[in-house]
């Protein structure tokens, strides 16, 4: 697997290992599962299958699974550590993985959110222009090697477009100054 795939698979792998240890614990001791552990481990299995078959669907399904775990509706192990936020129990382990998930997919989540609230083609163009402007401001101070490094990363199309434009503009200025 590539490093990117390994990073994406890591949270699921860690939760799966925790789940397997819990299954071994149930088999070897007097612990028992309740419906939350059965559902949680079943959803982890489905996530594992989706990771290898449909990565896009996996991302949504894994996020929903983490939300359900965080809200204490499902569990991944025999040990459930939770704290109460107002009247809602929050499981610590799925909450930590949910935070990592939200950080990793923040760009896609914001795109999904903004697309859901936009209505017209004009608004879509305006949103794209705002993103381009934001990326131009963010990337304008980067050096050429930093831009090349960024181009090798997984970025949204607008970010790549801005990076390519920056390189082309710098190359044209360099070429024009040499004449």
């Amino acid at each position: 697997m590539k490093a990117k795939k390994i990073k994406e698979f890591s949270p699921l792998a860690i939760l799966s290992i925790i789940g397997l240890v819990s299954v071994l614990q149930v088999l070897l001791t007097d612990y028992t599962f309740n419906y939350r552990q059965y559902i949680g481990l079943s959803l982890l299995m489905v996530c594992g299958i989706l990771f290898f078959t449909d990565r896009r669907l996996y991302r949504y399904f894994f996020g929903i699974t983490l939300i359900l775990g965080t809200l204490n509706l499902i569990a991944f192990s025999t040990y459930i550590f939770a704290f109460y936020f107002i009247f809602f129990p929050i499981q610590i382990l799925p909450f930590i993985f949910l935070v990592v998930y939200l950080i990793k997919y923040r760009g896609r989540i914001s795109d999904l959110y903004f697309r859901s609230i936009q209505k017209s083609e004009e608004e879509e163009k305006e949103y794209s222009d705002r993103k381009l402007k934001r990326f131009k401001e963010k990337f304008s101070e980067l050096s050429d090697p930093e831009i090349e490094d960024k181009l090798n990363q997984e970025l949204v199309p607008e970010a790549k477009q801005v990076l390519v434009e920056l390189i082309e503009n710098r190359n044209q200025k360099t070429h024009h100054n040499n004449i």
Side-chain angles (χ1 to χ4, degrees), residues 43-111:
L43 291 176
L44 280 181
M45 285 178 32
V46 171
C47 287
I49 293 168
L50 289 174
F51 180 82
F52 294 106
T53 58
D54 187 352
R55 192 70 51 87
R56 189 174 143 267
L57 188 56
Y58 156 77
R59 291 177 186 127
Y60 292 121
F61 201 79
F62 189 56
I64 291 168
T65 302
L66 290 175
I67 290 169
L68 292 174
T70 299
L71 297 175
N72 207 22
L73 298 173
I74 61 173
F76 306 113
S77 71
T78 53
Y79 299 107
I80 299 173
F81 301 102
F83 64 92
Y84 281 83
F85 179 72
I86 306 174
F87 296 109
F88 301 105
I90 305 293
Q91 279 190 54
I92 294 172
L93 186 65
F95 177 72
I96 291 169
F97 283 101
L98 181 62
V99 169
V100 170
Y101 175 87
L102 292 174
I103 290 169
K104 173 134 178 69
Y105 296 115
R106 66 185 176 274
R108 291 183 178 158
I109 292 169
S110 68
D111 281 348

Side-chain angles (χ1 to χ4, degrees), residues 68-177:
L68 292 174
T70 299
L71 297 175
N72 207 22
L73 298 173
I74 61 173
F76 306 113
S77 71
T78 53
Y79 299 107
I80 299 173
F81 301 102
F83 64 92
Y84 281 83
F85 179 72
I86 306 174
F87 296 109
F88 301 105
I90 305 293
Q91 279 190 54
I92 294 172
L93 186 65
F95 177 72
I96 291 169
F97 283 101
L98 181 62
V99 169
V100 170
Y101 175 87
L102 292 174
I103 290 169
K104 173 134 178 69
Y105 296 115
R106 66 185 176 274
R108 291 183 178 158
I109 292 169
S110 68
D111 281 348
L112 182 65
Y113 171 74
F114 285 120
R115 284 185 186 149
S116 69
I117 62 171
Q118 288 186 336
K119 303 285 189 244
S120 70
E121 201 172 297
E122 181 180 302
E123 289 172 335
E124 184 115 359
K125 173 80 170 116
E126 187 177 304
Y127 170 68
S128 179
D129 290 343
R130 282 196 317 262
K131 281 175 67 173
L132 287 171
K133 183 179 177 184
R134 186 181 71 201
F135 286 125
K136 282 179 186 176
E137 291 171 1
K138 183 177 179 180
F139 296 148
S140 64
E141 301 299 320
L142 294 177
S143 66
D144 288 346
E146 290 173 323
I147 291 175
E148 293 294 333
D149 287 341
K150 282 275 188 201
L151 280 171
N152 292 329
Q153 297 175 6
E154 183 180 333
L155 300 171
V156 295
E158 291 87 353
K160 283 195 177 203
Q161 177 185 346
V162 167
L163 290 169
V164 168
E165 288 175 7
L166 282 172
I167 286 179
E168 288 174 355
N169 288 342
R170 289 179 183 179
N171 288 341
Q172 285 178 352
K173 286 181 183 178
T174 306
H175 180 70
H176 186 19
N177 289 339

